[in-house]
Amino acid sequence: MKPMRSILFVPGHKADWPQKAINAGADGLVLDLEDAVPAQLKAEARKTVATTIRTIAAENKKVGLYVRLNALETGITGDDLEKIIQPGLDGVLLPKNYGPKDIISCDALITHFEHRNGVAPGTVQIIVSLETAQAYSKCEEILECSPRVATLFAGTAKDADVSRSIGFQFTADGQETLYLRSRALLAVRASGRQSAWVGIWQDLNNPEGAKTFALQNRQIGFTTMVMIHPSHIQIANEVFSPSEQEITFYQGMIDAFEAAEKQGNAAVTYEGQHIDYAHVKTARQVIDFHKNLNT
């Protein structure tokens, strides 16, 4: 999976919006065929999304390209996949699923259309959007049920499908969803996957709230923030990137440890802290992520 700090939902039928999102700094896009598209425009949106994937994949290979499908229960998921499965597509976001059986069904459909559309087998990933109590209760099983599952998207939006399914009342400090987000995050990391998605901050009049939400989620281990408005892109990019201070600190840690190692030591005091191999592994991970973002 490409390194992504910020992922923006873009209505699939808005042909000029994806490039605007990229220009605003989004690392990835979710081209939406579901809730952001009126029913009468679904067919048009599929064609627009297919064109968008081809265009952006040819021009900017660093941008992550995903498509939110219509849920399996709508009966039109296959119609979506038929049009959008093509080279350049990184994956699909499967909404309103209820656990492993839905992911396996989606996997089978993708396999069919990869073969039919001339796409290399296994190319298209599945990002599982956690929007139901059933899905949240089966995080581990979902991650194990298909090799296509790249990560989970821990959605905890106000007044949306997930809050209705679970019954929580959204608050800005997020205590009512901390367990849900933490459960998804732990399952992702325990499976060996590194990228973990979280969202969504809906109050567009409260950018400080968006930043606090992003900071809280980075602190507990999330890597990527999913957004519905471009005004949050720079917030996510700043919060989920190593700061200049962190880069300086961790590079200094690596240098100090490597110097100590050459002298036959496997531990060193750095900035008043005891440092050994475990700490240096973390430092190298941060520096590698920084380099990947900038290459």
Side-chain angles (χ1 to χ4, degrees):
M1 179 175 281
K2 298 169 183 174
M4 292 178 289
R5 305 154 296 177
S6 56
I7 298 177
L8 186 69
F9 273 111
V10 179
H13 61 302
K14 302 291 186 178
D16 58 337
W17 286 22
Q19 189 57 54
K20 290 179 180 179
I22 294 171
N23 293 343
D27 291 334
L29 305 176
V30 174
L31 306 170
D32 195 1
L33 292 176
E34 196 209 15
D35 287 347
V37 179
Q40 70 273 19
L41 296 179
K42 298 284 189 185
E44 175 187 329
R46 293 181 189 110
K47 295 177 183 178
T48 301
V49 165
T51 299
T52 297
I53 293 167
R54 287 192 295 271
T55 301
I56 294 177
E59 296 176 353
N60 195 331
K61 297 186 183 301
K62 289 186 66 176
V63 175
L65 291 175
Y66 298 84
V67 175
R68 179 160 73 168
L69 306 171
N70 287 283
L72 290 167
E73 61 193 20
T74 66
I76 60 173
T77 312
D79 296 334
D80 297 339
L81 291 167
E82 180 182 21
K83 296 298 183 183
I84 60 97
I85 294 285
Q86 59 183 299
L89 176 67
D90 289 299
V92 298
L93 191 70
L94 182 63
K96 299 180 182 65
N97 62 87
Y98 299 94
K101 289 183 180 179
D102 285 346
I103 283 69
I104 292 169
S105 295
C106 184
D107 186 329
L109 285 169
I110 293 172
T111 298
H112 170 75
F113 286 111
E114 280 179 339
H115 176 74
R116 181 171 173 178
N117 294 357
V119 175
T123 300
V124 178
Q125 302 169 340
I126 299 175
I127 310 300
V128 180
S129 184
L130 302 175
E131 300 178 55
T132 65
Q134 293 90 335
Y136 265 108
S137 73
K138 298 175 181 176
C139 292
E140 293 81 8
E141 294 96 321
I142 287 171
L143 287 161
E144 292 173 358
C145 75
S146 167
R148 291 189 189 276
V149 177
T151 193
L152 305 177
F153 167 34
T156 55
K158 181 182 179 181
D159 298 330
D161 297 290
V162 62
S163 62
R164 186 174 63 255
S165 177
I166 295 175
F168 66 77
Q169 295 182 328
F170 182 91
T171 64
D173 64 11
Q175 289 301 306
E176 73 288 347
T177 63
L178 180 58
Y179 168 74
L180 297 174
R181 288 176 283 132
S182 298
R183 174 169 171 71
L185 175 66
L186 183 59
V188 168
R189 294 303 183 118
S191 74
R193 296 163 173 85
Q194 295 299 310
S195 179
W197 297 14
V198 70
I200 293 171
W201 186 259
Q202 294 178 205
D203 187 350
L204 304 184
N205 294 319
N206 185 4
E208 284 304 313
K211 186 168 185 178
T212 298
F213 177 75
L215 284 167
Q216 182 190 75
N217 284 298
R218 187 193 176 192
Q219 286 167 354
I220 64 174
F222 282 98
T223 62
T224 308
M225 183 165 158
V226 181
M227 302 154 293
I228 58 171
H229 197 270
S231 64
H232 296 159
I233 292 172
Q234 289 306 318
I235 292 172
N237 285 348
E238 176 186 347
V239 170
F240 289 95
S241 296
S243 67
E244 290 185 13
Q245 183 179 2
E246 287 174 311
I247 295 301
T248 299
F249 177 82
Y250 284 119
Q251 187 58 59
M253 180 190 295
I254 293 168
D255 295 342
F257 183 82
E258 289 180 347
E261 195 176 30
K262 289 178 181 178
Q263 296 175 6
N265 299 311
V268 64
T269 299
Y270 172 72
E271 299 285 339
Q273 301 180 32
H274 170 87
I275 301 301
D276 58 27
Y277 281 108
H279 306 88
V280 172
K281 286 179 182 178
T282 299
R284 287 174 176 151
Q285 186 178 66
V286 172
I287 296 300
D288 287 346
F289 179 67
H290 172 70
K291 290 178 179 177
N292 286 335
L293 286 174
N294 293 280
T295 56

